Amino acid sequence: MTRDVPAGVIEGQTLTADAEYSCDVCIIGSGAGGAVAAATLQKAGLKVIVLEEGGYFTANRFRMLEEDSFPNLYQEGGARTTKDGSMVILQGRAVGGTTVVNWTTSFRTPEKVLDRWKTHHDVNGFAYSDLVPHWEAVEERLSVARPPLEVVNRNNRLLYDGCEKLGYHVETIPRNVKNCLHTGYCGMGCPVDAKQSMLVSYLPDAMHAGATVISRVRVERIVMQGNEARHVEGTLLDATGRFATGVKLKVRAPRFILAAGAMGSPAVLMRSGAPDPHERLGIRTFLHPVIASMGLYDDEVNGFYGAPQSVASHEFYDRGDEVGYLLEAVPVHPGLLASAIPDLGKTHRGWMEQVANTAVHLALTGDGLHDDVPGGKVELRENLPILDYVIAEKTWRALRHGQKEMAKVFLATGAREVVTFHDPAVHIRKESDIAKIDDAPFAPRKVAIFSAHVMGGCGLSDDPRGGVVRSEDGRHHQIANLHVIDGSTFPTALGVNPQETIYGLASLFANRLAERWT
């Protein structure tokens, strides 16, 4: 056993013999939560080791090809779905986590969400005002700013112009980029390091201060004794991340932070046999179910170039007793588009031949902000996480409503045809055609639904009967030296893209822990 593990990245597939390390803080996961915690704690003088299941890929290894990025940078090669196969779940799997492949959207948590956490879920450890200085620090470090309207691509500009013509709220989206070249390949790993993901920001900060990141480590379990975690046991994976190499890793530490994401963190605790006296682990796992439509234009849109998501409308975010949603844009890369179009053969090819003239917009629904929208449950299948998730009736109504509004936006900007991703598709060429959406099937596997945001499963609550971790610092209720710092701690979904909420909470919690541990 050694404490002298070098700072920087160790690619797990290069280790040829079992290894055992010790440190002051072992962090499982290198995404938005784990990276911010690592940088904060290492700078405070604590030796940090970060374990990451994904591979270590840098800008010179991003080839801007879907056939390359999905197998290398996404969970299950981009093919992860809910248990019933009705919804695709896009999650990152790399050093830097999902921040490596997200589309840069950076929203602070809506205040109404934090209010609900307090009133409905006993989250009393922080308030909106407590997060503000942490958001400000993160935004400065990650160069978060709204782009001028003049630089958004046409796919996004059509959303902006359509909303304006309809009198809807619309704005450009804050993005975490620096010297962006607007290549359009954010979802495949930024080839010029413009996107300020954890890969190029907080993880290097942590490593420059002395932290170690070990990639290609699948954490099998946290070994516990009494009410404390003692060490982590992991299996090393090969360069593809698909197969175990046979090499084992053990990390001992007096303190542990679990930041493996809203499916990964519950799964690690389940595999570890973590105490769960009130049966809260893995439940209330939330998505932002998303539905999309494409608009076809006579002139080129070229939605595969430019900032993929730079305009949003909050017009329908708060719909009272009904589930709300955002309107945003989707990059129109051929693989992503082809996977959503339900038609086959010549018909499918016909749509794909029009990709340059196609815009795609989405409606992103909230989740868990109503009592009758309970989310899903993380389970283990062959020791790997799977999400049993049923879309609530209220959410289906919101998806239908959003589909209609997207059609209005497309028609307002001169689309010659609007096409939904139902099977069979609904075709809309004039306003009176929008009523056809009422007759379309909104049901599992009858329309393409996906989500890039997974939240919950280790929910915050100061009442152990209501959650897995306490809200002061993410400490597990039954495990004294284990903290969870990632999106799994959300008691509900947000209704907005979650990365900045995770950054803010991670900064708040990690700073509190640094004060206590040093």
Side-chain angles (χ1 to χ4, degrees):
M1 182 170 66
T2 178
R3 288 181 60 88
D4 299 326
V5 59
V9 176
I10 298 173
E11 296 194 65
Q13 69 269 25
T14 66
L15 298 178
T16 57
D18 292 355
E20 184 172 337
Y21 302 127
S22 67
C23 58
D24 296 314
V25 186
C26 177
I27 299 178
I28 302 166
S30 68
V36 172
T40 304
L41 296 170
Q42 184 70 50
K43 287 179 180 179
L46 297 159
K47 174 59 184 180
V48 173
I49 293 178
V50 180
L51 306 179
E52 169 57 53
E53 184 176 307
Y56 179 54
F57 296 92
T58 56
N60 62 357
R61 295 169 76 177
F62 296 141
R63 298 175 56 229
M64 300 190 293
L65 294 171
E66 290 172 289
E67 66 181 7
D68 186 62
S69 63
F70 280 101
N72 285 323
L73 302 176
Y74 286 81
Q75 292 284 1
E76 301 177 38
R80 174 169 278 183
T81 69
T82 51
K83 187 175 181 179
D84 65 359
S86 65
M87 192 176 347
V88 174
I89 303 173
L90 296 172
Q91 286 183 290
R93 183 182 185 239
V95 171
T98 300
T99 72
V100 175
V101 294
N102 72 14
W103 298 339
T104 77
T105 297
S106 302
F107 287 122
R108 294 184 181 186
T109 320
E111 215 166 338
K112 66 169 263 185
V113 173
L114 295 182
D115 290 342
R116 185 176 180 89
W117 289 5
K118 180 178 178 64
T119 59
H120 286 66
H121 301 286
D122 292 304
V123 174
N124 305 295
F126 58 89
Y128 188 91
S129 59
D130 296 315
L131 288 166
V132 169
H134 295 277
W135 283 326
E136 290 173 344
V138 166
E139 288 164 359
E140 181 177 0
R141 176 66 184 90
L142 302 182
S143 300
V144 174
R146 294 184 188 274
L149 184 59
E150 293 72 26
V151 306
V152 307
N153 69 359
R154 185 148 188 255
N155 188 29
N156 282 269
R157 185 60 192 255
L158 289 166
L159 175 60
Y160 190 96
D161 291 346
C163 287
E164 266 209 331
K165 288 182 179 180
L166 295 169
Y168 295 166
H169 163 276
V170 66
E171 62 185 2
T172 58
I173 293 174
R175 305 180 65 232
N176 58 312
V177 296
K178 185 177 183 180
N179 301 320
C180 182
L181 298 185
H182 301 104
T183 65
Y185 289 86
C186 300
M188 301 174 211
C190 182
V192 295
D193 281 344
K195 177 165 60 176
Q196 299 301 287
S197 70
M198 298 298 92
L199 177 67
V200 301
S201 57
Y202 280 90
L203 285 176
D205 291 350
M207 290 185 284
H208 290 155
T212 303
V213 177
I214 307 177
S215 66
R216 294 301 189 201
V217 182
R218 174 174 292 155
V219 171
E220 302 294 352
R221 65 180 185 140
I222 302 169
V223 177
M224 283 165 274
Q225 183 177 344
N227 70 335
E228 289 193 345
R230 293 300 188 187
H231 65 265
V232 164
E233 295 179 352
T235 299
L236 278 298
L237 304 177
D238 68 2
T240 70
R242 296 174 59 197
F243 303 105
T245 63
V247 177
K248 302 294 184 180
L249 178 69
K250 181 182 291 186
V251 179
R252 299 184 184 275
R255 308 170 187 93
F256 296 85
I257 291 175
L258 184 53
M263 290 180 67
S265 289
V268 169
L269 291 173
M270 290 174 185
R271 290 197 296 265
S272 304
D276 184 25
H278 306 292
E279 299 184 343
R280 307 307 297 174
L281 180 58
I283 70 167
R284 291 188 63 81
T285 299
F286 298 105
L287 301 172
H288 283 151
V290 165
I291 198 165
S293 298
M294 59 182 182
L296 282 79
Y297 292 80
D298 290 329
D299 50 349
E300 289 187 346
V301 176
N302 293 332
F304 34 79
Y305 295 135
Q309 199 167 76
S310 51
V311 166
S313 171
H314 289 69
E315 179 72 20
F316 304 101
Y317 176 77
D318 189 344
R319 300 175 62 227
D321 289 339
E322 290 296 316
V323 169
Y325 59 89
L326 296 187
L327 294 178
E328 295 177 330
V330 186
V332 192
H333 291 289
L336 192 61
L337 181 61
S339 67
I341 294 173
D343 293 307
L344 301 172
K346 291 182 179 179
T347 306
H348 189 281
R349 177 172 178 166
W351 293 124
M352 294 307 299
E353 288 174 345
Q354 301 178 73
V355 66
N357 296 70
T358 300
V360 180
H361 297 161
L362 62 81
L364 180 151
T365 60
D367 201 356
L369 296 170
H370 297 78
D371 292 338
D372 48 357
V373 184
K377 181 180 180 180
V378 174
E379 302 173 347
L380 292 180
R381 182 174 62 185
E382 298 179 355
N383 258 357
L384 296 177
I386 188 167
L387 180 58
D388 188 3
Y389 184 96
V390 176
I391 296 178
E393 181 55 37
K394 271 190 175 179
T395 302
W396 282 121
R397 292 203 297 268
L399 293 167
R400 186 189 301 272
H401 193 279
Q403 193 106 73
K404 291 180 178 181
E405 293 300 332
M406 282 188 283
K408 293 178 185 177
V409 169
F410 280 130
L411 293 177
T413 52
R416 57 180 166 80
E417 185 172 11
V418 181
V419 183
T420 73
F421 295 134
H422 287 85
D423 186 14
V426 178
H427 299 262
I428 299 163
R429 297 179 179 85
K430 56 186 183 298
E431 191 169 348
S432 60
D433 289 341
I434 295 175
K436 295 178 182 178
I437 291 174
D438 286 325
D439 297 323
F442 284 82
R445 296 175 299 280
K446 296 295 185 181
V447 60
I449 306 291
F450 65 94
S451 180
H453 308 148
V454 191
M455 298 147 283
C458 296
L460 294 164
S461 178
D462 293 326
D463 182 348
R465 297 168 299 177
V468 175
V469 300
R470 69 184 188 183
S471 66
E472 178 188 351
D473 54 10
R475 198 198 75 185
H476 194 284
H477 280 301
Q478 288 81 35
I479 307 172
N481 62 338
L482 174 67
H483 298 253
V484 183
I485 302 180
D486 60 16
S488 74
T489 64
F490 296 179
T492 69
L494 309 175
V496 299
N497 306 58
Q499 74 164 333
E500 188 158 348
T501 298
I502 301 172
Y503 293 147
L505 273 177
S507 179
L508 174 67
F509 287 173
N511 274 279
R512 287 177 173 177
L513 295 176
E515 291 177 5
R516 206 172 298 158
W517 293 346
T518 57

